[in-house]
Amino acid sequence: MGQTILETERLTLVPLRAEHTDAVVAVFAHQSMSTYIDIDFSVADNARKMVQRRLAYDGPPRMGHWAILHEGVVVGLGHLRPSWELPGDLPEIGWYLSPAYGGRGLATEAATAILRHGLDDLRLNSIWALVHTHNEPSLKLAARLGFLAVGTGVHYGAEHRVHVALPQPHRG
């Protein structure tokens, strides 16, 4: 079974495809998108290589990378895949939203959809998030989503807070 399209009230998260490349490169063109990343994705060639790496994903079915669409426009990128940084292929979530769409709750909406997909649909026993220790907006988002901060470590070339989300028991 292939990767699922995820829908929320305002967003559609579609599996990342080659035709999204230019739109994703445009999302990452703003210098602020590289503030907490050790590569400058405002350089179009760097952003294209990043998209190509994500397009080459060959992991567990129903996981991968999503283009985040708002009113049909690519406004961000999200993922749920085995971590490139944590041991044991732990499932890692990530989210990126164009600064032009910030402050509207769209990152929360997209990340919630990916998290719910992983915990509820895929029945993963944990989902991990690595958030740069100075990235206050994403640290706050991880807390809103219910992630527990469990430590820090050097990941993706800088110090990151390590978070985990666990399934919630169903009460009946």
Side-chain angles (χ1 to χ4, degrees):
M1 180 180 284
Q3 193 177 345
T4 306
I5 294 174
L6 306 174
E7 302 216 35
T8 71
E9 183 179 328
R10 300 178 292 168
L11 302 172
T12 304
L13 286 71
V14 297
L16 183 64
R17 301 284 181 250
E19 58 263 23
H20 299 126
T21 300
D22 290 341
V24 172
V25 169
V27 165
F28 281 87
H30 194 279
Q31 186 67 43
S32 68
M33 293 295 288
S34 297
T35 301
Y36 305 109
I37 303 171
D38 65 344
I39 298 171
D40 185 357
F41 289 130
S42 68
V43 175
D45 284 344
N46 291 343
R48 286 185 191 288
K49 288 177 187 171
M50 178 267 296
V51 173
Q52 291 304 312
R53 180 176 183 195
R54 290 170 186 268
L55 287 170
Y57 171 80
D58 185 26
R62 300 179 65 197
M63 295 174 79
H65 302 267
W66 286 268
I68 302 169
L69 281 67
H70 175 65
E71 298 177 351
V73 175
V74 175
V75 299
L77 190 62
H79 69 256
L80 177 63
R81 54 157 168 74
S83 179
W84 294 336
E85 291 284 319
L86 297 172
D89 289 334
L90 291 170
E92 180 185 324
I93 190 174
W95 53 81
Y96 305 90
L97 185 71
S98 167
Y101 291 86
R104 303 181 200 179
L106 297 176
T108 300
E109 199 169 313
T112 298
I114 297 169
L115 183 63
R116 296 280 51 95
H117 172 65
L119 294 176
D120 297 344
D121 301 338
L122 303 182
R123 299 188 184 274
L124 298 173
N125 61 16
S126 64
I127 296 178
W128 297 77
L130 299 172
V131 181
H132 192 285
T133 55
H134 296 123
N135 187 344
E136 285 298 322
S138 283
L139 290 169
K140 289 177 182 177
L141 175 52
R144 277 195 307 277
L145 293 174
F147 277 88
L148 305 170
V150 295
T152 58
V154 175
H155 301 286
Y156 299 111
E159 190 168 359
H160 281 65
R161 191 156 306 138
V162 179
H163 296 83
V164 65
L166 303 171
Q168 298 298 310
H170 296 326
R171 295 182 180 18

